[in-house]
Amino acid sequence: MAGTLAEKVWADHVVRRGEGNEPDLLYIDLQLLHEVTSPQAFDGLRQEGRALRRVDQTIATEDHNTPTIDIDKPIADITSRTQIDTLRRNAEEFGVRIHSLGDKDQGIVHVVGPQLGLTMPGITVVCGDSHTSTHGAFGALAFGIGTSEVEHVMATQTLSLKPFKTMSITVEGSLKPGVSAKDIILAVIAKIGTGGGAGYVLEYRGQAIEDLSMEGRMTICNMSIEAGARAGMIAPDETTFAYVKGRPHAPQGEDWDEAVAYWRTLRSDDDAVFDAEVVIDADELEPFVTWGTNPGQGLPLSAAVPAPEDFVDETARVAAENALRYMDLVPGTPLKDIAVDTVFMGSCTNGRIEDLRTFVDVIRGRRKHPDVRVLVVPGSARVRIQAEQEGLDREILAFGAEWRQAGCSMCLGMNPDQLQPGERAASTSNRNFEGRQGKGGRTHLVSPAVAAATAVRGTLSSPHDLDAPSRDGAATAAA
Amino acid sequence: MQKFTTHTGVGVPLRRSNVDTDQIIPAVYLKRVTKTGFEDGLFSAWRGDPDFVLNQDAYRGGSVLVAGPDFGTGSSREHAVWALRDYGFQAVLASRFADIFRGNAGKQGLVAAELSQDDIEQLWKILEEAPGTEVTVDLEQRQVRAGDAVLRFEIDDYTRWRLMEGLDDIGLTLRHEADIDAFEATRPSWMPKTLPARTADSAEAPAS
Ligand code: SF4
């Protein structure tokens, strides 16, 4: 029978088909752990005297609570420190591989897996974190789970689940210069809504997706969860194989050939039937930016802040009203006139080497706007090392931005990098919820290129705007 | 999870309806890293009141909570069940439970038994007239016995079976351990292994 990519990967992991109304028992190839959602799961194992079934399919890193400066000093916040210490103790007790702060392989959990070559096509990946969907960029079935499920995987290496529905998102044509993967996914979410993907695995396909690098594909799959989806996937191809090949845990020799032969079978059959289908035209996309307090409230950068009356749907109108109040925005204001206090470049959405290169390409030879604080945070320690080898750090510092150590940083208000109440940020992260980046902080989600141009001009901008005068008329042309 | 067939312990009358999970355990206790030791957070806002039922000597050490309707509404936090369990409660009796609470209770071996509101009133009366009275919760017979009263309760068949077998979700899955072993034996050798640890320093990695 014809199948979709998601159905094929699912079928290859069924340990036991559920009878009648029972869920399937699905095998999990890889579990990623971090300090926030693992402690109770370890505690549960201890309580029941259970072992962790496959330590060799488990890996831990520290990311959410970790500071990005002074990482050699004890963590000041007690709760954060306790969570980190607990993870370290648990990892030691159960024999789990851990990459702690200061280690070269430490970093955001979703950057670390792919970079070590652990994330591969056709595997199942789970983590107690909703952005586990990132790994679907390799054609893996990857999704976030709750703490009880983390414990369940630890003890059994399986999960009891009912199959997800499937949705294809075809992005036809090709992107204009300056338009990126981030703009595609923001446009997708704006189109289907933050609940549009609920219960589905989204499969992204079409020319524009095939043209993307692995970094770009990860950016897209990462934000599938912001459309409410269980997971996002992209069929593996030569780009995928080239990315995986040679990484520390990638298959080698004959194993490699065998793996690639299997991976090539991982695509939706031509006559496969999806439960829903969406088509987007890449040629028409522009840089996208959010104006509201959920990732679906986005518009092309050239648009203006919408008015609540623009929304026919009652719920959407009320949501817009609340969002505009929180964001302190006046309907009709051109988005490009919105001035920001902070630019955050980083997170598991856009904290990879290619993202940093894109950012630096835009700021090269320029100085940041004097009123804007610019934070550049690599997604992992390896990304930081790589960036420094390429000299990106020097350009970032010369631009006037801060160059930090790896971690989730300002993506969420759980570590010292936070917005102050009322502060406004252009952020390459994935959530613009109220208070997400710090209590009272206001977030506009953007791509790395838009983040860079905004850092130069002080107002939401695309690289095309760089030759125009900035908000206070200062010259911004390259020195 | 312990097998549960029948339990006898001091009954605690909690004459309140709509006890939500924030009242069972406030959010500040959610920052913890353990899954046990939540007893101090149980009903913490009320425990400061010397007249609160759990502060009365006769009910101390109680293990069967007899509560008002709509017990466990609000946030989905599993901590609410942990707190009741850690305090020593083995069963909660009420005329109505919030769905998520009932589901979480079943996962953790806490019996959530539904009785008619008349029967709950009768139990309250017995427990208040003779504080310290023991209540028996008989899962096999689906019966609650206290004083002279013999009352019937409802619990869904599947949960009852799981509780009587002492099977939590993990325990249930482990019944299929042979299937898991068999599946594992067929996995190709190139599937990801985190151990022995390899890093870019120990292997040739591409520079992108
Ligand atoms: S970078 Fe943000 S979204 Fe990603 S794992 Fe960290 S906190 Fe979550």
Side-chain angles (χ1 to χ4, degrees):
Chain A
M1 206 184 80
T4 63
L5 169 60
E7 287 160 352
K8 288 183 183 183
V9 178
W10 184 285
D12 284 349
H13 287 83
V14 173
V15 170
R16 190 177 168 273
R17 276 265 176 239
E19 287 154 25
N21 221 8
E22 257 186 323
D24 288 348
L25 195 60
L26 201 72
Y27 193 79
I28 303 302
D29 293 314
L30 180 65
Q31 170 151 252
L32 312 167
L33 302 173
H34 62 89
E35 74 275 14
V36 183
T37 51
S38 63
Q40 273 98 5
F42 278 115
D43 214 32
L45 287 189
R46 243 189 313 264
Q47 235 174 288
E48 300 290 330
R50 287 179 174 134
L52 198 157
R53 184 180 171 100
R54 297 302 300 246
V55 277
D56 61 344
Q57 290 169 223
T58 311
I59 188 168
T61 182
E62 302 165 0
D63 52 10
H64 285 66
N65 280 279
T66 51
T68 55
I69 41 171
D70 297 334
I71 61 166
D72 47 343
K73 305 214 176 78
I75 297 174
D77 181 84
I78 301 281
T79 321
S80 298
R81 196 163 65 210
T82 308
Q83 287 196 332
I84 300 269
D85 288 346
T86 306
L87 178 64
R88 290 179 187 175
R89 262 200 323 269
N90 283 331
E92 195 185 331
E93 182 183 333
F94 287 87
V96 172
R97 172 177 177 184
I98 182 171
H99 293 292
S100 290
L101 199 57
D103 182 306
K104 278 187 194 166
D105 286 290
Q106 176 267 344
I108 307 171
V109 64
H110 310 307
V111 179
V112 169
Q115 145 190 302
L116 282 171
L118 289 166
T119 304
M120 298 175 192
I123 65 168
T124 47
V125 185
V126 296
C127 173
D129 186 278
S130 57
H131 292 98
T132 309
S133 57
T134 311
H135 308 262
F138 291 80
L141 181 60
F143 48 93
I145 54 177
T147 297
S148 292
E149 292 173 304
V150 171
E151 184 182 337
H152 195 279
V153 175
M154 284 176 171
T156 70
Q157 207 59 36
T158 64
L159 278 174
S160 287
L161 289 169
K162 296 234 169 117
F164 308 137
K165 290 182 288 181
T166 57
M167 183 187 297
S168 78
I169 299 195
T170 308
V171 190
E172 288 171 343
S174 40
L175 293 172
K176 286 185 288 214
V179 184
S180 69
K182 183 67 163 279
D183 304 308
I184 295 181
I185 189 64
L186 286 174
V188 167
I189 301 166
K191 182 172 173 123
I192 70 173
T194 51
Y200 289 96
V201 177
L202 313 183
E203 183 185 335
Y204 304 95
R205 47 213 311 239
Q207 192 59 47
I209 300 295
E210 286 166 31
D211 290 347
L212 289 174
S213 65
M214 285 315 295
E215 278 92 343
R217 295 180 190 186
M218 283 190 256
T219 301
I220 291 195
C221 288
N222 172 278
M223 289 192 71
S224 303
I225 184 72
E226 308 313 332
R230 279 309 305 255
M233 292 179 94
I234 293 172
D237 59 9
E238 297 306 322
T239 305
T240 321
F241 309 151
Y243 185 95
V244 175
K245 193 170 169 94
R247 293 196 176 262
H249 285 275
Q252 293 173 331
E254 279 176 26
D255 273 352
W256 173 259
D257 299 334
E258 199 187 307
V260 173
Y262 170 65
W263 295 345
R264 287 191 200 282
T265 68
L266 297 173
R267 36 185 53 255
S268 292
D269 295 320
D270 292 339
D271 48 348
V273 180
F274 290 87
D275 297 305
E277 299 195 24
V278 172
V279 179
I280 294 216
D281 191 352
D283 302 276
E284 287 177 5
L285 291 180
E286 286 179 56
F288 235 74
V289 51
T290 62
W291 50 267
T293 51
N294 74 53
Q297 290 172 321
L299 280 171
L301 187 53
S302 56
V305 176
E309 304 81 72
D310 299 348
F311 299 89
V312 189
D313 177 70
E314 169 72 17
T315 324
R317 188 165 61 237
V318 174
E321 234 165 55
N322 291 335
L324 292 177
R325 193 174 320 117
Y326 182 84
M327 293 296 287
D328 191 27
L329 291 174
V330 179
T333 312
L335 291 170
K336 286 191 180 176
D337 286 357
I338 297 173
V340 304
D341 307 293
T342 297
V343 169
F344 170 59
M345 172 65 212
S347 87
C348 61
T349 313
N350 281 126
R352 298 182 180 78
I353 189 70
E354 184 188 87
D355 301 310
L356 295 179
R357 289 180 191 141
T358 304
F359 182 86
V360 169
D361 280 345
V362 176
I363 61 153
R364 180 162 294 131
R366 300 177 191 268
R367 286 285 299 170
K368 74 171 180 71
H369 190 283
D371 299 339
V372 179
R373 163 193 184 206
V374 185
L375 212 60
V376 183
V377 186
S380 72
R382 289 278 173 201
V383 170
R384 182 177 55 77
I385 294 166
Q386 172 82 29
E388 290 177 359
Q389 276 167 2
E390 296 180 18
L392 301 182
D393 59 321
R394 287 191 297 280
E395 297 190 82
I396 289 163
L397 290 168
F399 176 62
E402 297 173 51
W403 174 241
R404 295 293 188 89
Q405 301 285 336
C408 294
S409 185
M410 203 183 263
C411 177
L412 91 172
M414 199 165 195
N415 59 67
D417 303 341
Q418 302 198 16
L419 292 180
Q420 295 303 307
E423 258 194 305
R424 185 181 299 282
S427 175
T428 62
S429 57
N430 46 47
R431 283 186 175 151
N432 52 344
F433 300 158
E434 291 186 14
R436 166 79 177 182
Q437 296 191 288
K439 200 162 184 277
R442 303 181 175 121
T443 305
H444 296 276
L445 299 177
V446 297
S447 71
V450 170
T454 303
V456 175
R457 285 174 43 87
T459 51
L460 294 175
S461 307
S462 90
H464 294 303
D465 303 318
L466 282 184
D467 298 322
S470 74
R471 75 188 194 212
D472 42 17
T476 56
Chain B
M1 221 163 89
Q2 294 278 330
K3 288 188 183 186
F4 190 118
T5 39
T6 171
H7 169 80
T8 303
V10 171
V12 179
L14 183 67
R15 268 193 190 269
R16 291 179 197 247
S17 62
N18 272 296
V19 175
D20 64 52
T21 52
D22 266 287
Q23 291 170 312
I24 299 173
I25 189 160
V28 295
Y29 291 91
L30 273 49
K31 284 191 176 177
R32 295 197 172 161
V33 292
T34 55
K35 198 177 173 179
T36 47
F38 286 91
E39 63 274 10
D40 56 341
L42 181 69
F43 300 130
S44 78
W46 298 334
R47 294 266 283 281
D49 171 5
D51 291 335
F52 180 59
V53 62
L54 286 182
N55 291 332
Q56 299 171 31
D57 282 340
Y59 301 114
R60 236 167 266 215
S63 59
V64 178
L65 187 68
V66 185
D70 296 312
F71 189 84
T73 53
S75 127
S76 65
R77 63 190 66 156
E78 231 171 275
H79 305 68
V81 174
W82 301 343
L84 287 161
R85 182 200 60 195
D86 292 348
Y87 184 88
F89 283 108
Q90 306 270 339
V92 183
L93 318 183
S95 63
R96 240 184 354 248
F97 290 95
D99 282 337
I100 297 179
F101 177 87
R102 197 195 346 245
N104 287 342
K107 276 189 184 160
Q108 300 293 332
L110 180 74
V111 172
E114 239 173 66
L115 285 79
S116 73
Q117 187 56 30
D118 285 348
D119 289 349
I120 294 286
E121 302 275 354
Q122 193 184 340
L123 285 171
W124 279 343
K125 220 168 139 218
I126 293 169
L127 297 175
E128 283 163 359
E129 276 169 6
T133 300
E134 291 200 329
V135 177
T136 296
V137 179
D138 184 337
L139 195 53
E140 187 147 35
Q141 306 286 331
R142 296 183 203 241
Q143 258 180 16
V144 173
R145 298 186 288 273
D148 295 335
V150 178
L151 311 166
R152 181 173 168 81
F153 69 82
E154 296 297 326
I155 188 162
D156 78 88
D157 292 341
Y158 182 68
T159 306
R160 173 170 168 269
W161 169 75
R162 274 186 11 175
L163 289 165
M164 289 183 61
E165 295 287 318
L167 292 168
D168 55 6
D169 280 351
I170 294 175
L172 266 177
T173 297
L174 288 176
R175 294 190 141 194
H176 305 301
E177 206 167 1
D179 293 332
I180 304 174
D181 292 342
F183 182 92
E184 255 174 3
T186 66
R187 295 176 74 236
S189 58
W190 48 263
M191 280 290 185
K193 291 251 180 336
T194 57
L195 295 172
R198 308 186 69 206
T199 71
D201 300 320
S202 61
E204 282 303 307
S208 73

